[in-house]
Amino acid sequence: MLFDRIAIIGIGLIGSSIAHAVRAQGLARHIAIADASEAHRSEAAALKLGDSVHGDAAEAAQDADLVMLCVPLGANAAVARHIAPALKAGAILSDVGSCKQAVIRDVAPHLPAGVHLVPGHPVAGTEHSGPKAGFAALFQNRWCILTPEAGTDAEAVEKMKAFWGAFGSKVELMEPRHHDLVLAITSHVPHLIAYNIVGTADDLEAVTESEVIKYSAGGFRDFTRIAASDPTMWRDVFLNNKEAVLEMLGRFTEDLIALQRSIRWGEGEQLFNLFTRTRTIRRAIIDAGQETAAPDFGRSAQGGVTEPVKPKAD
């Protein structure tokens, strides 16, 4: 048991999956859950995700050894400010957001002395949201990146490594700015492209809605899965990681123009070489265990490359 009391602030997909995994692995005596949504609190209570469910995040954080912020990035500052008086000395505060510089900027100034900030990002998820979407195996065989600032309490960092490692995650430490740059190209820009291409298809008057749905068994179907992700979360991602996203978009645009030129001038060899290189990357991702060729993409509780997390033996 790593912690006596864990508080999970925000009980969407990631928060509920953490609750499931903490329970399955016996990592805490008490799981306190807080959410601003009454509907989410009711669902969390019905699913028995926590030992206590609170409408006030500060109540959940009271006496907690670990507080996990699982709220949209834009809410971090307000939540941190609100719960700060309830945080006890020696407590660890972490999060699950995909922009780490913004978390440090918005959260660190509000924390009292003796509270250790260890930002984190589990690189896992589905297009579904809400308390019912979570499952314990979500983090198994996935990466979790921790981005503590220099001088962060070493014991707190080790505890968070053990926390995510108990879920079956592969844990890596990374500098916050570097994290944001890497995730801009591996996650943020792909989501932006998906949102844009689905929006473009919707705007095309020559293509009726029925035709879009009818012929979506190929690439467009896969784009719509990504574009179905939580709009509040992704709005905040782009607003809080805009420098890295804009830099990656600039490079992507340059490459797209080169690809456009190859198509225009019939440069088949260049197209073939690009497609061969990207196919190799896809196979490498599957070989690394970060994806599966299964129809459900390995992102459901029932299918994919992971097995359900088994409770620890007594």
mmCIF file of all heavy atoms in Angstrom, residues 78-95:
data_model
loop_
_atom_site.group_PDB
_atom_site.id
_atom_site.type_symbol
_atom_site.label_atom_id
_atom_site.label_comp_id
_atom_site.label_asym_id
_atom_site.label_seq_id
_atom_site.Cartn_x
_atom_site.Cartn_y
_atom_site.Cartn_z
ATOM 1 N N ALA A 78 -7.470 27.140 -10.905
ATOM 2 C CA ALA A 78 -8.568 27.364 -9.962
ATOM 3 C C ALA A 78 -8.667 26.232 -8.950
ATOM 4 O O ALA A 78 -8.888 26.460 -7.755
ATOM 5 C CB ALA A 78 -9.888 27.521 -10.717
ATOM 6 N N VAL A 79 -8.495 25.011 -9.410
ATOM 7 C CA VAL A 79 -8.572 23.859 -8.504
ATOM 8 C C VAL A 79 -7.406 23.887 -7.519
ATOM 9 O O VAL A 79 -7.591 23.669 -6.313
ATOM 10 C CB VAL A 79 -8.581 22.540 -9.291
ATOM 11 C CG1 VAL A 79 -8.480 21.350 -8.351
ATOM 12 C CG2 VAL A 79 -9.851 22.425 -10.126
ATOM 13 N N ALA A 80 -6.205 24.154 -8.016
ATOM 14 C CA ALA A 80 -5.034 24.199 -7.133
ATOM 15 C C ALA A 80 -5.195 25.285 -6.067
ATOM 16 O O ALA A 80 -4.869 25.078 -4.891
ATOM 17 C CB ALA A 80 -3.770 24.436 -7.950
ATOM 18 N N ARG A 81 -5.694 26.424 -6.474
ATOM 19 C CA ARG A 81 -5.909 27.525 -5.533
ATOM 20 C C ARG A 81 -6.930 27.136 -4.463
ATOM 21 O O ARG A 81 -6.775 27.456 -3.284
ATOM 22 C CB ARG A 81 -6.402 28.755 -6.298
ATOM 23 C CG ARG A 81 -6.480 30.032 -5.453
ATOM 24 C CD ARG A 81 -7.067 31.187 -6.249
ATOM 25 N NE ARG A 81 -6.367 31.380 -7.510
ATOM 26 C CZ ARG A 81 -6.911 31.201 -8.702
ATOM 27 N NH1 ARG A 81 -8.169 30.784 -8.816
ATOM 28 N NH2 ARG A 81 -6.212 31.417 -9.804
ATOM 29 N N HIS A 82 -7.955 26.409 -4.881
ATOM 30 C CA HIS A 82 -9.028 26.036 -3.959
ATOM 31 C C HIS A 82 -8.588 24.982 -2.951
ATOM 32 O O HIS A 82 -8.934 25.057 -1.764
ATOM 33 C CB HIS A 82 -10.229 25.528 -4.747
ATOM 34 C CG HIS A 82 -11.372 25.084 -3.894
ATOM 35 N ND1 HIS A 82 -12.110 25.939 -3.112
ATOM 36 C CD2 HIS A 82 -11.890 23.829 -3.676
ATOM 37 C CE1 HIS A 82 -13.037 25.265 -2.454
ATOM 38 N NE2 HIS A 82 -12.923 23.983 -2.780
ATOM 39 N N ILE A 83 -7.821 23.999 -3.394
ATOM 40 C CA ILE A 83 -7.471 22.895 -2.508
ATOM 41 C C ILE A 83 -6.216 23.173 -1.683
ATOM 42 O O ILE A 83 -5.939 22.440 -0.722
ATOM 43 C CB ILE A 83 -7.280 21.575 -3.284
ATOM 44 C CG1 ILE A 83 -6.044 21.641 -4.187
ATOM 45 C CG2 ILE A 83 -8.531 21.228 -4.080
ATOM 46 C CD1 ILE A 83 -5.722 20.313 -4.870
ATOM 47 N N ALA A 84 -5.466 24.202 -2.041
ATOM 48 C CA ALA A 84 -4.183 24.466 -1.378
ATOM 49 C C ALA A 84 -4.270 24.480 0.143
ATOM 50 O O ALA A 84 -3.435 23.857 0.818
ATOM 51 C CB ALA A 84 -3.578 25.765 -1.896
ATOM 52 N N PRO A 85 -5.256 25.168 0.754
ATOM 53 C CA PRO A 85 -5.309 25.185 2.224
ATOM 54 C C PRO A 85 -5.548 23.812 2.855
ATOM 55 O O PRO A 85 -5.243 23.610 4.032
ATOM 56 C CB PRO A 85 -6.497 26.120 2.512
ATOM 57 C CG PRO A 85 -6.634 26.958 1.292
ATOM 58 C CD PRO A 85 -6.270 26.055 0.163
ATOM 59 N N ALA A 86 -6.089 22.876 2.074
ATOM 60 C CA ALA A 86 -6.391 21.543 2.610
ATOM 61 C C ALA A 86 -5.222 20.579 2.484
ATOM 62 O O ALA A 86 -5.239 19.492 3.072
ATOM 63 C CB ALA A 86 -7.612 20.957 1.900
ATOM 64 N N LEU A 87 -4.196 20.942 1.717
ATOM 65 C CA LEU A 87 -3.081 20.035 1.472
ATOM 66 C C LEU A 87 -2.159 19.962 2.683
ATOM 67 O O LEU A 87 -1.743 20.992 3.223
ATOM 68 C CB LEU A 87 -2.288 20.480 0.242
ATOM 69 C CG LEU A 87 -3.063 20.509 -1.073
ATOM 70 C CD1 LEU A 87 -2.194 21.072 -2.186
ATOM 71 C CD2 LEU A 87 -3.574 19.118 -1.439
ATOM 72 N N LYS A 88 -1.825 18.760 3.079
ATOM 73 C CA LYS A 88 -0.961 18.596 4.252
ATOM 74 C C LYS A 88 0.503 18.546 3.839
ATOM 75 O O LYS A 88 0.837 18.187 2.693
ATOM 76 C CB LYS A 88 -1.341 17.339 5.019
ATOM 77 C CG LYS A 88 -1.023 16.025 4.322
ATOM 78 C CD LYS A 88 -1.393 14.841 5.214
ATOM 79 C CE LYS A 88 -0.999 13.511 4.575
ATOM 80 N NZ LYS A 88 -1.336 12.362 5.429
ATOM 81 N N ALA A 89 1.372 18.901 4.751
ATOM 82 C CA ALA A 89 2.803 18.850 4.494
ATOM 83 C C ALA A 89 3.222 17.416 4.173
ATOM 84 O O ALA A 89 2.777 16.476 4.819
ATOM 85 C CB ALA A 89 3.572 19.369 5.702
ATOM 86 N N GLY A 90 4.038 17.279 3.146
ATOM 87 C CA GLY A 90 4.496 15.960 2.727
ATOM 88 C C GLY A 90 3.637 15.318 1.669
ATOM 89 O O GLY A 90 4.017 14.290 1.096
ATOM 90 N N ALA A 91 2.483 15.914 1.384
ATOM 91 C CA ALA A 91 1.597 15.362 0.352
ATOM 92 C C ALA A 91 2.229 15.530 -1.031
ATOM 93 O O ALA A 91 3.021 16.444 -1.270
ATOM 94 C CB ALA A 91 0.238 16.045 0.396
ATOM 95 N N ILE A 92 1.853 14.635 -1.930
ATOM 96 C CA ILE A 92 2.269 14.725 -3.327
ATOM 97 C C ILE A 92 1.076 15.170 -4.156
ATOM 98 O O ILE A 92 -0.029 14.642 -3.987
ATOM 99 C CB ILE A 92 2.776 13.371 -3.852
ATOM 100 C CG1 ILE A 92 3.982 12.897 -3.037
ATOM 101 C CG2 ILE A 92 3.143 13.458 -5.333
ATOM 102 C CD1 ILE A 92 4.411 11.476 -3.372
ATOM 103 N N LEU A 93 1.294 16.129 -5.036
ATOM 104 C CA LEU A 93 0.255 16.533 -5.976
ATOM 105 C C LEU A 93 0.749 16.231 -7.379
ATOM 106 O O LEU A 93 1.850 16.631 -7.758
ATOM 107 C CB LEU A 93 -0.082 18.014 -5.839
ATOM 108 C CG LEU A 93 -1.326 18.451 -6.637
ATOM 109 C CD1 LEU A 93 -2.129 19.503 -5.887
ATOM 110 C CD2 LEU A 93 -0.955 18.992 -8.018
ATOM 111 N N SER A 94 -0.058 15.498 -8.116
ATOM 112 C CA SER A 94 0.305 15.153 -9.481
ATOM 113 C C SER A 94 -0.898 15.391 -10.381
ATOM 114 O O SER A 94 -1.966 15.832 -9.930
ATOM 115 C CB SER A 94 0.776 13.696 -9.562
ATOM 116 O OG SER A 94 1.348 13.414 -10.827
ATOM 117 N N ASP A 95 -0.732 15.106 -11.668
ATOM 118 C CA ASP A 95 -1.812 15.348 -12.622
ATOM 119 C C ASP A 95 -1.668 14.365 -13.774
ATOM 120 O O ASP A 95 -0.766 13.525 -13.776
ATOM 121 C CB ASP A 95 -1.764 16.793 -13.130
ATOM 122 C CG ASP A 95 -0.689 16.989 -14.187
ATOM 123 O OD1 ASP A 95 0.499 16.727 -13.863
ATOM 124 O OD2 ASP A 95 -1.018 17.376 -15.325
#
